Amino acid sequence: MSATFSLGISILLLLVAFSSSTSGKDDVVDEEKHLRFPPNFVFGAATAAYQIEGAWNVSGKGESTWDRLVHEHPDRIYNGDTGDVAANSYYQYKEDVAILKKLGFKSYRFSISWPRILPTGFANKINAEGIQYYHNLIDELKDNGIEPMLTLYHWDHPQVLEDMGGWLNDEMVYWFGDYASIIFREYGSKVKKFVTINEPKAICKNGYSLGIHAPGKRLSGLGEYMCIHNVLKSHAVAYRIYDSEFRSKFHGEVGVLVDVMAYMPENFEFDAAAETAFQFNIGWTMHPIFSKEGDYPPAMKQLVANRSKAEGFVKSRLPVFDEYWVNFIRGSADFLAVNHYTSRLVVSGTMGQIPSHEHDQGVREIIDSFWKSSASNWLKVVPVGFRYILVQLAKNYGNPPMYITENGVSDLGTLNDDDRIYYYREYLKQMLIAIYEDGVDIRGYYLWSLLDNFEWNAGYRERFGIVFVDYEDPNRQRMLKKSASWWQQVIAAGKIETN
Ligand code: PNW
């Protein structure tokens, strides 16, 4: 090699090195900006009553649908586990609050057990001990500088209401309204953020179509639609009650919650299929509330009507809202609460049994075999899906104020939960890109979950906590995992630590 030639190469290499180092520097600057949380961003952790409280039949509490399912069908739950004791938080809530405080969380999302407040299911008998328990929890939070976010219903309704049809009976709308009034009246002076109903789609598909969750009804193709119909009405009734009776006094907010996967087209050929999946799975509950015209998405009404007809039904399996209800439901949210864990790729085709909501869509959802796994077979780690779905929600629904009310990942139990740290770091980065690059209005983020807890059909096997709970120990000892310390640093610094 001649001297001149090698000199030429060296200069070239130097130039390349220089230019890549400058652009590299820009990336770093850019990255840094994107690692910092906006001022006043709320950091919280979330749990739900049935998954942590225990104390299932004491202090005046009535039986819930989950109590009934786990006791009558232990075969449906991993290891026959129950929530009878769970993390024992009914007795150990002060420890939970101390952990939140130590880690620096500014908010806590918890749910109220409906039958703990109304053991008969109805407002004829209010259980004073149940009322007091949540006052104690809320006071303990506030004394420690932690703002409560209260979910009225996270899947455990009074069994007696289920005996009368539960979410398939449209009287449930008024039973829920009576319950909501009591909660608002009782806690409204202390709680400024309410979420009505956790994950309508999960309730209605798992509980009334597939029958894997309580109340275990297998009514595929009809049950899930009737259930969502009443859940939407119930949500709106609670919202309107707050609006007309409590807002002027308490100045709080009531949000609606949606559980979302990102539905990404496998490639551009399937853009339309992905849009259908969005409308079917997310538009189903969001279009009635956030669109200008209200009601179910037009494409969904059409598709379900067509399929129902082809199957020989006299009318569409999708129930109809009259004009009164369309107007009543439309606009019934002060903020959008988003639970997000994972994504699917969408292609054309069909899936699910006939008839079913799944099948009605006329699309197929698939899992990319390259996606990293977790301990839950449905949950693959897909950070980019988070940004994708946040942008879609903002675009479709006028960029409403949003809170991420659940996000997290499962493992089989370890204190050195590096996979969980990886999940949070990468998902948070995507959320910050959605905030800074796409302008999505996200005000806060609640991780799921503070504690390892009763993971429904998976019992205590799949663990989502940043705090380990020893379920062999009668005292349910809590131990901070590595991810808890990671979160402590992130909150203290107000930015994502990259090491
Ligand atoms: C949520 N999905 O349910 C629930 O709100 C929690 O109670 C639960 O512990 C947590 O997620 C973890 O499972 C989900 O299909 C149900 O994507 C379904 C899905 C995600 C979350």
Side-chain angles (χ1 to χ4, degrees), residues 184 194 238-247 250 252 254:
F184 294 147
F194 294 94
Y239 181 85
R240 301 291 170 207
I241 288 172
Y242 191 83
D243 224 21
S244 58
E245 295 175 36
F246 300 102
R247 189 185 296 279
F250 295 140
V254 178

Side-chain angles (χ1 to χ4, degrees), residues 244-279:
S244 58
E245 295 175 36
F246 300 102
R247 189 185 296 279
S248 60
K249 195 152 100 208
F250 295 140
H251 308 288
E253 293 184 305
V254 178
V256 70
L257 188 144
V258 69
D259 44 322
V260 297
M261 290 194 193
Y263 299 97
M264 304 187 285
E266 206 249 2
N267 68 53
F268 65 88
E269 261 181 73
F270 302 119
D271 282 352
E275 172 62 16
T276 304
F278 179 87
Q279 294 304 340

